[in-house]
Amino acid sequence: MARISAQQVIDTVLDHGSFTSWDGAPEHANIDEAYRGTLSRASDKTGLDEAVITGEGTVGGKRVAVICSEFGFLGGSIGTATARRIIRSIERATAEQLPLLLSPTSGGTRMQEGTAAFALMISITTAVARHKDSHLPFLVYLRNPTTGGVMASWGSAGHFTFAEPGALLGFLGPRVVELATGEPMPEGVQTSENLFKQGIIDGIIPLEGLRGAVRRTIDVLADGDPSEPTPPPAAAIDGRDTWEAILRTRDTSRPGGGDIIDALVDCSVPISGTGDGHKSLSVRARLARIGERPVILVAQDRHNQPPLGTHPMGPGSLRFARRAMRIAESLNIPLVTVIDTPGAELTKDAEENAMAGEIARTLTTLVNLKVPTVSLILGQGCGGGALAMLPSDRVLAMHDAWMSPLPPEGASAIIYRDTEHAPEMMEEQGVGAEAMLKTGVIDEIVAEPEDPAELPRRALSAIEHALWELEKNPARVGREQRFDHYRRFALGE
């Protein structure tokens, strides 16, 4: 397949004529004449002086720093001069508070420079970490091919990682793998399509779509003017029958977490997979804009979970949720969780992959976040899989929502050895929204809309108001507040 040049990326993504180069003369010291000749021939071939182009431009009028590899220059390989150029550009982007787009295409370290150049992948990674420390967005667009040390360091470090269709992407290129192991890499493994399927990258975008993805990310994260209060959610009227509410949340036509995600698709950027090889549609997440505020939205989607769907909420689903939580903290924006699940996966595979441990780690991550957090129990809140995404600065529940340690029928079976007592037990156990409000499990009930199709809009309005409340009351936000709140909840203080 034809390779996309660095200049093509710049010309396609940035506003016309806005690019300004940051590149100084490359620093090649103590190299032999043969290598110097190789560099000279690469320069004559490409018209470039190194394997990366760096600089800044605008996208929709907003400044963006860009670093693009050029495969035509010695396979986009990274030598000392290349690494220094990348590091200085990342540092400048950090100093000038600019979002950063990196687009690598490379075979990895430059063989003429060996281990010293190889170790510079660490230095590039630390520069990326400093950029993230400043809560600045870092986007990666992987081009064909990207392998070796580049893929194994800064090429895999983005907040959001997209790739060119059909690109060869992997730890080592297939020829090297075969020579090193004696076995060929199976066809189709090291492709952008397979990496997306496995949850390693967030999406596949043709070059002509990259500008839109970059602009959408910048626009979602742009500072808004959230000074005006949003209207509070409609008041709920007491007297809900718990079992009837549970049955309504089980209705297949009731909108779920996926519908809330989909309602924001025009002002959001997808997050897909754990980044370490797991993807499940039981939990979905996006960088989105709710009102005037950028957030990371993580939603359990019961329509994709059994019995309605084929994607159980297993250990990898919670690892994915934690990845989204870490992005929220890295970008310093609020996290919103939407709970709607019939329960976590109950299989041999889930047990052997630490289902219980993943619930514990998700709980720990959520209560430790430094950013504002809001959770909404949309419908079903069954078991530890629901509990894992509950603790927040502000906890809301739709009026029909409920939370129980076990499915209602399971609770009845334990006590009565039948399922007929489920309605009675759910009332006694206080699983409904009104009971949860009285016991302090939740902070507020959101009235159900008369038309169920309006549920996503009603839920988003309530979330927006909760975010506004937290913004105006920062003392209610953060780790220490959550720790204190749940201590007082336990001790009845």
Side-chain angles (χ1 to χ4, degrees):
M1 60 185 291
R3 293 195 175 99
I4 299 171
S5 71
Q7 194 62 50
Q8 282 178 284
V9 175
I10 290 168
D11 291 343
T12 303
V13 173
L14 300 182
D15 295 339
H16 180 70
S18 69
F19 178 71
T20 301
S21 174
W22 287 353
D23 295 338
E27 304 168 18
H28 298 295
N30 301 319
I31 61 174
D32 60 34
E33 288 304 313
Y35 181 25
R36 195 175 296 279
T38 299
L39 292 170
S40 178
R41 288 188 293 274
S43 181
D44 291 341
K45 175 185 174 183
T46 61
L48 304 177
D49 59 6
E50 250 303 339
V52 292
I53 297 175
T54 74
E56 68 166 281
T58 59
V59 177
K62 296 173 182 175
R63 294 175 68 201
V64 180
V66 291
I67 299 174
C68 295
S69 299
E70 176 51 65
F71 194 83
F73 194 106
L74 302 184
S77 58
I78 307 299
T80 301
T82 333
R84 287 173 177 165
R85 178 173 287 181
I86 293 169
I87 291 165
R88 285 175 176 150
S89 297
I90 296 172
E91 289 176 343
R92 180 168 174 178
T94 306
E96 299 189 22
Q97 295 290 284
L98 297 180
L100 181 58
L101 170 65
L102 266 73
S103 182
T105 171
S106 173
T109 303
R110 193 166 294 170
M111 290 298 100
Q112 293 90 337
E113 299 191 33
T115 299
F118 179 50
L120 288 171
M121 301 301 152
I122 303 171
S123 303
I124 296 173
T125 301
T126 59
V128 169
R130 291 292 190 194
H131 188 266
K132 288 183 172 180
D133 285 347
S134 295
H135 309 303
L136 298 166
F138 173 49
L139 289 79
V140 173
Y141 183 63
L142 301 169
R143 287 148 50 218
N144 178 59
T146 303
T147 61
V150 171
M151 187 67 177
S153 56
W154 46 283
S156 297
H159 287 120
F160 309 101
T161 303
F162 301 100
E164 170 191 0
L168 168 65
L169 308 171
F171 175 47
L172 287 179
R175 180 171 60 86
V176 179
V177 170
E178 186 169 2
L179 289 172
T181 67
E183 297 289 337
M185 181 67 71
E187 190 74 23
V189 171
Q190 295 178 307
T191 64
S192 50
E193 287 76 11
N194 189 50
L195 265 59
F196 176 61
K197 179 181 177 182
Q198 301 302 325
I200 295 170
I201 63 174
D202 292 306
I204 301 170
I205 302 176
L207 178 61
E208 55 269 23
L210 181 58
R211 174 180 166 85
V214 173
R215 181 166 185 172
R216 190 176 305 113
T217 305
I218 295 170
D219 288 346
V220 170
L221 289 169
D223 292 334
D225 182 18
S227 56
E228 291 299 317
T230 55
I237 301 173
D238 289 351
R240 213 74 160 177
D241 180 275
T242 301
W243 186 246
E244 289 181 0
I246 289 173
L247 294 179
R248 283 191 291 272
T249 66
R250 289 175 164 180
D251 190 323
T252 57
S253 66
R254 179 182 172 89
D259 296 287
I260 293 179
I261 290 275
D262 292 340
L264 297 170
V265 70
D266 291 335
C267 55
S268 66
V269 178
I271 305 170
S272 180
T274 60
D276 62 5
H278 186 92
K279 183 178 180 180
S280 171
L281 295 179
S282 63
V283 176
R284 298 172 61 188
R286 296 184 83 93
L287 165 68
R289 202 166 183 87
I290 297 180
E292 291 298 317
R293 296 166 184 84
V295 304
I296 295 293
L297 175 62
V298 184
Q300 295 172 339
D301 189 350
R302 83 176 196 287
H303 288 102
N304 283 327
Q305 300 175 45
L308 302 181
T310 59
H311 297 272
M313 190 173 67
S317 304
L318 294 181
R319 290 202 301 274
F320 169 54
R322 290 205 305 281
R323 179 197 165 204
M325 293 173 189
R326 290 191 295 270
I327 291 174
E329 190 158 76
S330 182
L331 293 173
N332 197 32
I333 59 177
L335 175 85
V336 175
T337 62
V338 176
I339 297 162
D340 193 14
T341 179
E345 182 178 357
L346 303 174
T347 64
K348 174 180 180 291
D349 183 70
E351 290 293 344
E352 292 179 346
N353 283 277
M355 186 75 247
E358 294 299 342
I359 291 171
R361 283 182 280 276
T362 305
L363 273 170
T364 301
T365 299
L366 190 48
V367 296
N368 273 298
L369 287 181
K370 299 175 184 176
V371 297
T373 56
V374 172
S375 63
L376 169 70
I377 311 174
L378 185 69
Q380 300 179 46
C382 191
L387 189 71
M389 292 171 58
L390 180 72
S392 295
D393 298 320
R394 189 77 177 160
V395 181
L396 316 176
M398 300 305 300
H399 206 168
D400 280 341
W402 54 279
M403 180 167 283
S404 171
L406 287 173
E409 293 80 6
S412 176
I414 289 174
I415 301 299
Y416 295 101
R417 299 183 182 276
D418 63 36
T419 60
E420 284 71 28
H421 288 80
E424 173 188 333
M425 286 203 65
M426 293 302 96
E427 194 69 48
E428 292 173 353
Q429 290 187 349
V431 307
E434 292 173 24
M436 288 193 289
L437 183 64
K438 290 176 182 176
T439 56
V441 174
I442 65 173
D443 298 305
E444 188 172 6
I445 296 175
V446 182
E448 298 280 339
E450 291 185 14
D451 179 0
E454 291 296 310
L455 182 61
R457 185 182 300 180
R458 176 69 58 84
L460 286 168
S461 177
I463 290 167
E464 184 180 355
H465 185 77
L467 290 168
W468 175 82
E469 288 185 313
L470 293 178
E471 188 176 88
K472 298 305 176 185
N473 297 279
R476 294 181 52 187
V477 172
R479 179 180 188 269
E480 293 307 315
Q481 182 278 139
R482 288 179 215 119
F483 277 36
D484 183 60
H485 168 77
Y486 284 103
R487 181 182 183 278
R488 287 185 282 107
F489 170 70
L491 300 181
E493 296 178 354

